[in-house]
Amino acid sequence: MMPDEEFDDLRILANEGLARSGEMTLCALARNEMYFLPAFLDHYRALGIGRFVILDDQSDDGTREFLAAQADVLLLASDRRYGDTFTASTGPLAGRARRMVHVWKTLMMQKFCLGHWALCVDADEFILLPPGWRFPDLVAKLPTGAAPAITGVMLDAYPAQVSDLKTDAPFDPMAEWYVDGQRHAVYRPAVHEFRMLHSGVRARLMHRMGLIRGSRLQRLKRLLRDRSWYPRANEITKIVLMNWEAEAAFLSSHSTTQAVNPNLLLPILHFKFTPDLYRRTRVALAEGQYYNGSAEYRLMAELLTRMEAAGGSFLYRKSHKARDFEALRRSGNALLP
């Protein structure tokens, strides 16, 4: 039995003919993502994605109807929920507790992308490639026998000021967004994966606002090594491009059982700090579907409150424009063949 096959209740809601498509595919989960979806689909279509396999997790904001009307979207549904937990009784992950989000991702890749390169990202994650590149071009440049999992580094995109989040304008990925311009991750041969160097903007801001401090040892390292080092607040790396193998599985939202390519790192503009963050935070706290009862969103709510009281800026000395690909390459946040 393949990983998580015993939990497979996926059903197709729209565009069943796409189940057999040979187009390069992007898999995603969606729940009330109308804020991002039009720009998300356009972004990845321009980068060579010909088929989207999207599971709608009981949306009620028009997401399901919008996706069903898209000719290149294979729309799926399940009777389970994102945060449900199960323990596998058979297969290679027997005895291991599994969150439904990881089961869904495994099943989608297994059923629709087996033996092919495919993306798996969230609706607020926009991978950047060099000007003129598309994903089929990237895959064509990979050597025969290349490791089947390619890591992305999650660069939280942010506006200049917290007051910029107080708008009801539609989402525009081409607006003036910034990212932290430090190298966020490096490949560690001892553990065969990319590990964090810079904790990212959330950690930087939460430290500045007194929400996280880190241990005494961590604070000493910050003083001795790099004054911009901060305690961890969220995961920085994520497997986003995979040549899916029959026995592969998602272990978390950020890792799989597949071997990681040490020479490639894709920059992901993660649009966390948008006006929609207020809504997403309210929903996450009300539903508790995210990891550890949505603990991350409790911190996020307090961060926004403190930044608003302080009239806070997101910017610091190493911020740079989010879509400056050469700056991303220079900082080590983009490694390509």
Side-chain angles (χ1 to χ4, degrees):
M1 180 176 283
M2 294 296 106
D4 297 325
E5 188 176 349
E6 64 183 297
F7 305 122
D8 183 5
D9 74 337
L10 298 184
R11 62 185 185 276
I12 297 174
L13 297 183
N15 299 320
E16 185 173 0
L18 291 175
R20 295 168 293 280
S21 170
E23 297 275 3
M24 188 160 190
T25 297
L26 181 152
C27 293
L29 309 179
R31 173 163 170 77
N32 293 341
E33 296 288 6
M34 280 306 300
Y35 182 75
F36 289 112
L37 277 174
F40 175 83
L41 295 177
D42 286 346
H43 174 80
Y44 284 103
R45 285 166 178 154
L47 294 181
I49 298 302
R51 178 180 68 163
F52 297 86
V53 177
I54 301 182
L55 189 153
D56 175 61
D57 181 17
Q58 303 182 30
S59 295
D60 56 15
D61 71 339
T63 286
R64 180 169 292 192
E65 294 77 11
F66 172 77
L67 291 173
Q70 308 300 309
D72 53 0
V73 173
L74 176 64
L75 181 60
L76 307 176
S78 167
D79 291 330
R80 298 188 172 101
R81 294 302 313 279
Y82 182 100
D84 291 347
T85 303
F86 301 91
T87 300
S89 60
T90 61
L93 298 175
R96 181 170 185 145
R98 308 278 288 141
R99 292 185 71 220
M100 204 62 214
V101 56
H102 312 141
V103 172
W104 281 341
K105 289 181 178 182
T106 299
L107 291 172
M108 292 163 72
M109 295 294 290
Q110 178 71 36
K111 291 164 71 78
F112 304 108
C113 305
L114 183 62
H116 302 285
W117 286 97
L119 288 166
C120 189
V121 293
D122 295 335
D124 60 356
E125 296 171 354
F126 288 54
I127 298 175
L128 293 186
L129 294 179
W133 281 43
R134 301 163 79 244
F135 282 105
D137 303 324
L138 171 59
V139 168
K141 294 176 184 291
L142 299 177
T144 301
I150 295 177
T151 306
V153 58
M154 301 182 71
L155 309 171
D156 282 347
Y158 49 84
Q161 303 290 331
V162 69
S163 58
D164 294 332
L165 300 181
K166 296 292 188 177
T167 175
D168 57 1
F171 173 63
D172 180 6
M174 304 302 292
E176 193 165 272
W177 301 97
Y178 298 87
V179 295
D180 281 10
Q182 293 177 249
R183 189 172 189 178
H184 284 56
V186 65
Y187 184 77
R188 301 293 191 192
V191 292
H192 307 292
E193 63 183 27
F194 282 86
R195 287 290 179 89
M196 182 185 71
L197 284 180
H198 172 59
S199 306
V201 60
R202 274 179 266 178
R204 175 170 63 80
L205 293 172
M206 288 177 183
H207 183 268
R208 193 174 82 192
M209 291 291 142
L211 288 170
I212 56 176
R213 285 176 52 81
S215 67
R216 289 184 179 180
L217 177 59
Q218 288 171 329
R219 295 199 298 274
L220 179 61
K221 286 181 178 179
R222 178 173 180 264
L223 289 172
L224 294 177
R225 290 177 9 191
D226 183 347
R227 292 187 60 83
S228 61
W229 186 92
Y230 304 96
R232 179 190 296 270
N234 57 284
E235 292 291 337
I236 293 296
T237 61
K238 181 175 188 176
I239 303 301
V240 290
L241 180 59
M242 292 144 279
N243 188 357
W244 199 253
E245 300 166 317
E247 297 294 325
F250 275 87
L251 298 175
S252 73
S253 293
H254 295 257
S255 64
T256 75
T257 58
Q258 295 184 291
V260 170
N261 191 314
N263 303 311
L264 297 176
L265 188 65
L266 298 177
I268 309 168
L269 296 189
H270 185 208
F271 286 101
K272 195 70 160 182
F273 291 101
T274 70
D276 194 51
L277 178 58
Y278 290 93
R279 178 196 65 83
R280 296 168 79 90
T281 299
R282 288 194 302 271
V283 172
L285 294 180
E287 296 186 347
Q289 291 281 320
Y290 291 89
Y291 177 73
N292 195 21
S294 299
E296 176 187 330
Y297 281 92
R298 289 196 294 273
L299 269 177
M300 190 68 74
E302 182 61 25
L303 173 64
L304 291 173
T305 298
R306 295 190 186 191
M307 288 187 70
E308 289 168 0
S313 171
F314 284 99
L315 301 175
Y316 80 132
R317 59 190 175 88
K318 292 190 177 182
S319 297
H320 66 68
K321 295 290 181 66
R323 302 190 75 90
D324 184 344
F325 196 88
E326 285 309 309
L328 295 171
R329 198 192 292 269
R330 288 194 301 271
S331 67
N333 290 317
L335 304 175
L336 291 171

